[in-house]
Amino acid sequence: MKSSYFFDNIKRFFSLNKALIISIIIIILLGFTTGIFCALKSNETLSLNFIQGFALRNLLCKNYSTLGFILIKTLILFGLLFLIYFLSYLRFGYVLFITGVLYFSFLMGVDICVIFTFFGVLKGLLIGILGFLIWQILILSFVLIFGFRMACYNRQMHIYGNCQIRGNELKILLFFGGLILVSIILQGFLIWIICKIFVF
């Protein structure tokens, strides 16, 4: 597959899903700001142990290497994609997907507060924004869009027969899985680079 074909598909995908992407951003912002508010209002002293992301917590606590972080997070998210595929057959699949993203966005708000508190302004800003927030928002967006698209296809499949998606399941999964994998790899190596530069 040529790289130009891949990037053309991404460009076309975003141009065709503007309304959906805006809705996803609103959902993520709602959960994210709630998480920040709750973390700031907490009376607990925030430490790395309060980071809700299992893979990120172990990476920052130096229990995982960068490759270990990438592998574990990839396995978790690919497992999530398979779970979403099966949940997309349910009538209330959309509600489950939105609730899930709200929850993970809430945890993301808590995590960003912990990172800023523990690492300080400069290192915390670099890890929190460049190494965590940007990629986490992208990953959550890809996961939710995948869920919405699968629910839409499966609904069509029930109404019109299996003509809408048969033979395309793997292609759709690999497309979104590829986007998520690239995001995880970039996230892992950006955090590694930042931690190597700022050793304090």
Side-chain angles (χ1 to χ4, degrees):
M1 181 186 295
K2 294 182 179 179
S3 60
S4 59
Y5 175 77
F6 180 74
F7 287 112
D8 286 343
N9 275 343
I10 294 177
K11 187 187 297 183
R12 181 172 178 273
F13 169 78
F14 280 103
S15 65
L16 292 175
N17 295 282
K18 290 177 183 176
L20 178 59
I21 291 169
I22 292 171
S23 301
I24 288 171
I25 290 172
I26 293 171
I27 294 169
I28 291 175
L29 282 176
L30 180 61
F32 180 69
T33 52
T34 305
I36 290 177
F37 178 78
C38 291
L40 292 177
K41 287 294 182 181
S42 173
N43 293 323
E44 300 286 343
T45 302
L46 299 178
S47 67
L48 290 181
N49 291 325
F50 282 89
I51 289 180
Q52 303 300 302
F54 176 78
L56 179 66
R57 181 175 67 247
N58 281 284
L59 175 65
L60 295 179
C61 289
K62 299 181 180 179
N63 296 327
Y64 286 167
S65 65
T66 301
L67 292 178
F69 165 79
I70 292 171
L71 177 61
I72 295 298
K73 190 161 185 176
T74 299
L75 290 175
I76 291 171
L77 282 163
F78 270 75
L80 183 61
L81 290 182
F82 281 109
L83 177 63
I84 287 172
Y85 172 73
F86 292 108
L87 291 177
S88 67
Y89 284 95
L90 302 177
R91 289 182 178 274
F92 50 89
Y94 288 109
V95 178
L96 289 175
F97 301 150
I98 292 172
T99 304
V101 170
L102 275 172
Y103 174 71
F104 284 113
S105 301
F106 172 83
L107 298 183
M108 186 169 64
V110 174
D111 289 349
I112 202 76
C113 284
V114 173
I115 290 171
F116 283 159
T117 302
F118 186 83
F119 289 107
V121 177
L122 182 56
K123 188 175 181 179
L125 187 67
L126 290 172
I127 292 178
I129 302 299
L130 295 181
F132 173 69
L133 189 59
I134 294 173
W135 305 107
Q136 200 68 12
I137 289 174
L138 277 175
I139 291 168
L140 280 178
S141 299
F142 293 144
V143 167
L144 188 54
I145 293 170
F146 174 77
F148 278 178
R149 285 293 166 239
M150 292 309 300
C152 177
Y153 286 137
N154 287 331
R155 179 178 296 178
Q156 290 174 340
M157 183 175 64
H158 285 303
I159 296 173
Y160 302 110
N162 210 14
C163 59
Q164 296 294 325
I165 192 172
R166 180 176 290 278
N168 293 318
E169 298 96 330
L170 184 59
K171 185 187 296 184
I172 295 168
L173 177 64
L174 289 177
F175 176 73
F176 282 97
L179 292 176
I180 290 172
L181 179 60
V182 170
S183 300
I184 293 171
I185 292 172
L186 291 174
Q187 181 185 23
F189 279 102
L190 268 174
I191 293 175
W192 178 78
I193 290 169
I194 293 167
C195 290
K196 286 295 182 182
I197 294 174
F198 297 93
V199 293
F200 51 87

